[in-house]
Amino acid sequence: SYAPSDSLQSQNGGNTREVVGQLLDHAAFGAAYSGAFGEAKVRIAGGYETYTLDRCNAAAATQNCNNTPNSMHLGATVGFGQISVGGGLLKRELVALADGNTRRERLDWEIGISYAVDEDWAVALQYGKVLQDGQDRLDETFEMIALNGSVVLGQGVTVQAQIDIGNFEDETPAALDNDFIELMIGTALEF
């Protein structure tokens, strides 16, 4: 896909230049493959995205940002009967620069496995991690593990539950780190 500009220039009367936050030349490319090798079902996908940021600061003399960020993602799943294993990776450049006007990046990745016990029961275990260059050139890290399950109670009624355990760490001296545990329960009704 390609878009020469976003809505700031596409609306009636909104055809000014040098607008803070205006995106130009937004392009994205992607491809996916699904197939089977024997009893294994495989899906692979990937993509690339880029754009130009017309202006990142209100002060015209202070345009200290990465105005041409891009991102790339890859993902894959493999299924064997009732078991599926998958993972994904997203790497992107951030707009805000670090101290000293150096570029910053963020890397997200995850892996997971799911098991369909039968038509009514399923469980899954997932792990994900985020690594981000901090504005002060010190890394910020977030990781989480999730265990979830779902059960069909009857026609059109599914109950789901998940427990997450997470951790955030910032290498900046005196920065606050965070650990958490959360429990979620939900229902889905289909008519």
Side-chain angles (χ1 to χ4, degrees):
S1 66
Y2 174 77
S5 66
D6 64 16
S7 59
L8 290 175
Q9 289 186 337
S10 301
Q11 58 189 330
N12 182 32
N15 53 4
T16 58
R17 298 292 294 174
E18 297 294 319
V19 177
V20 175
Q22 170 74 47
L23 304 183
L24 304 172
D25 299 324
H26 189 176
F29 312 91
Y33 169 79
S34 294
F37 297 94
E39 295 185 18
K41 294 179 182 176
V42 177
R43 178 166 171 78
I44 301 170
Y48 177 82
E49 181 179 15
T50 185
Y51 62 86
T52 299
L53 185 64
D54 196 20
R55 185 168 170 178
C56 59
N57 290 332
T62 313
Q63 297 306 308
N64 56 344
C65 67
N66 176 7
N67 67 343
T68 55
N70 60 66
S71 63
M72 176 270 298
H73 72 88
L74 297 169
T77 58
V78 179
F80 301 93
Q82 297 165 287
I83 298 175
S84 292
V85 178
L89 173 79
L90 171 64
K91 183 177 181 181
R92 59 184 163 170
E93 295 178 344
L94 303 177
V95 171
L97 299 176
D99 296 342
N101 290 335
T102 57
R103 290 192 175 203
R104 299 168 59 210
E105 289 186 340
R106 175 175 165 153
L107 178 68
D108 299 51
W109 64 270
E110 62 183 354
I111 57 172
I113 184 169
S114 66
Y115 177 63
V117 180
D118 58 31
E119 292 181 1
D120 296 334
W121 287 84
V123 294
L125 181 64
Q126 300 158 304
Y127 173 79
K129 189 167 189 174
V130 177
L131 302 169
Q132 178 171 294
D133 299 330
Q135 206 137 9
D136 52 7
R137 296 194 202 181
L138 298 173
D139 290 339
E140 300 166 354
T141 305
F142 174 75
E143 57 187 334
M144 187 171 82
I145 188 166
L147 175 64
N148 58 59
S150 65
V151 60
V152 177
L153 295 179
Q155 180 144 1
V157 180
T158 303
V159 176
Q160 303 161 330
Q162 178 167 312
I163 185 167
D164 299 331
I165 301 172
N167 170 266
F168 173 78
E169 293 182 5
D170 188 340
E171 290 182 352
T172 305
L176 298 176
D177 296 336
N178 187 20
D179 295 310
F180 67 89
I181 297 175
E182 62 185 5
L183 175 65
M184 297 175 283
I185 297 174
T187 59
L189 302 175
E190 297 178 19
F191 298 95

